[in-house]
Amino acid sequence: MAVGGIQSGVVLSLQLVEAALDEIAASVSLRALPEPSSHTALVVSGVESSEVARSLGRVLVGLLLGAVRCNVSLAAALLVGGADDREQLAGDVVELIGANNSFVTDGEILFRDTKRNAWLAEGLLHVLLVLQNRDPGELLGGRIHALRQMHPIPTQQGFDAVALYVRGDVLSLAIGESKASRLDGSGQLTQAAKIFKSLDSGDHLRHLRQELMALEGYLSIELAGQVANSVLKQRCYVPSIVHEVPFDARRDRVTLKDLTPPREHKRLLIIRLQDFHGFFDAVADAMREAVTEIVV
């Protein structure tokens, strides 16, 4: 790779993203709760440190630029560089998360709560899935072979995360639904369960098949042969709830028990923050700073 200019900047940028992923992987852990019988509850710890917030901001900017491929490998190159690309990226970041963390008017607060925080929470779920292959026994229990890119805008319709992974020798499909609410984690879990219930009822299958067709090209020939016949039957639902006020994730929930997959394929991520808005503010600040760090 050439020394100087955009190519050397690409190397530096990818190294920064990779180091940020390493920091998150080293800091974040998952712990399964022994209860309940309706789902597998996974408590996510270590998210709220200043180092993780900084690293998450860097990774999210990298994801906007395609730093992680659909096969969960680090990109060979970032096709950006220079002042023009920095200006474009800075504008994209401001559109996603705002120019600052001041939210005073009703409209600003609505943007923070329904767009900014929602997109950042979705990004956190996506990063946890990217890191799945570093410890495959934790989140899904199998190696991810293809992961759909995260939504580039907060209000885009569709599933928050779609991944194809191998559990045992069987290709399986993971569908993630991310929710962020400081006060109402339980209610947001109910809303996520409704989306999964609609999938069980046959809704959105055309959309889901389109997602699978897009991911199929990242699979080996042997795994690709399983997509048409079995992957829709081998589903894993992954609701991810970011919240501050605690709710009881140990109790059985009818909304989850009634879903088609077995208990081990309903994997609830519980991400409780001590300072809900403070965490998202820190990640947003890190994203704004990462624009000049990553695009050099």
Side-chain angles (χ1 to χ4, degrees):
M1 189 167 282
V3 177
I6 185 172
Q7 294 301 317
S8 62
V10 163
V11 175
L12 177 61
S13 299
L14 290 175
Q15 288 176 342
L16 189 68
V17 173
E18 186 167 28
L21 286 169
D22 288 342
E23 172 64 44
I24 299 170
S27 302
V28 174
S29 62
L30 281 73
R31 173 175 56 91
L33 300 177
E35 308 92 353
S37 64
S38 59
H39 59 281
T40 299
L42 299 168
V43 176
V44 182
S45 303
V47 168
E48 217 164 352
S49 71
S50 58
E51 293 80 10
V52 169
R54 179 195 62 209
S55 293
L56 181 58
R58 288 173 172 172
V59 173
L60 291 179
V61 170
L63 290 177
L64 286 175
L65 297 173
V68 179
R69 299 303 191 203
C70 289
N71 63 0
V72 202
S73 66
L74 204 63
L78 295 176
L79 301 179
V80 293
D84 289 343
D85 284 325
R86 277 199 303 273
E87 183 177 356
Q88 176 63 53
L89 180 61
D92 291 342
V93 168
V94 167
E95 185 177 351
L96 281 167
I97 62 172
N100 53 56
N101 297 328
S102 177
F103 303 99
V104 179
T105 68
D106 290 345
E108 290 169 343
I109 293 171
L110 183 67
F111 169 81
R112 178 196 65 187
D113 293 347
T114 63
K115 294 183 179 180
R116 186 198 75 161
N117 290 355
W119 188 84
L120 292 175
E122 181 181 330
L124 175 58
L125 170 60
H126 196 89
V127 170
L128 291 175
L129 287 168
V130 168
L131 294 175
Q132 157 70 21
N133 288 357
R134 302 191 182 199
D135 191 356
E138 294 289 356
L139 202 163
L140 294 175
R143 183 173 183 80
I144 289 179
H145 288 259
L147 174 64
R148 202 269 330 275
Q149 299 284 1
M150 69 177 293
H151 290 145
I153 55 177
T155 55
Q156 187 170 334
Q157 295 297 308
F159 310 111
D160 289 338
V162 179
L164 291 171
Y165 70 104
V166 173
R167 185 182 176 104
D169 295 324
V170 179
L171 184 68
S172 300
L173 167 66
I175 303 170
E177 182 64 26
S178 172
K179 299 292 185 183
S181 173
R182 187 175 76 86
L183 302 176
D184 189 26
S186 181
Q188 291 302 301
L189 176 55
T190 298
Q191 293 303 310
K194 288 180 179 178
I195 294 173
F196 296 133
K197 186 65 175 178
S198 70
L199 275 167
D200 281 353
S201 301
D203 297 338
H204 315 298
L205 286 184
R206 182 172 61 181
H207 182 193
L208 191 53
R209 287 191 180 95
Q210 289 176 335
E211 298 269 20
L212 294 176
M213 289 174 62
L215 293 177
E216 189 175 354
Y218 296 93
L219 302 177
S220 67
I221 294 175
E222 294 77 13
L223 291 177
Q226 297 185 41
V227 171
N229 296 324
S230 65
V231 73
L232 285 175
K233 300 175 183 177
Q234 301 291 333
R235 297 186 201 172
C236 178
Y237 293 152
V238 187
S240 177
I241 310 299
V242 184
H243 63 105
E244 180 177 316
V245 174
F247 68 95
D248 188 2
R250 293 177 180 266
R251 69 176 176 86
D252 284 355
R253 291 179 177 265
V254 174
T255 53
L256 295 178
K257 185 184 288 289
D258 287 346
L259 297 175
T260 298
R263 176 184 182 270
E264 63 271 18
H265 284 172
K266 291 175 285 192
R267 304 182 73 79
L268 166 62
L269 299 183
I270 308 150
I271 308 172
R272 186 188 173 196
L273 305 173
Q274 296 300 315
D275 183 359
F276 184 85
H277 293 307
F279 170 76
F280 287 119
D281 285 349
V283 176
D285 283 338
M287 283 190 68
R288 298 183 194 101
E289 293 173 3
V291 170
T292 54
E293 294 174 327
I294 290 179
V295 182
V296 295

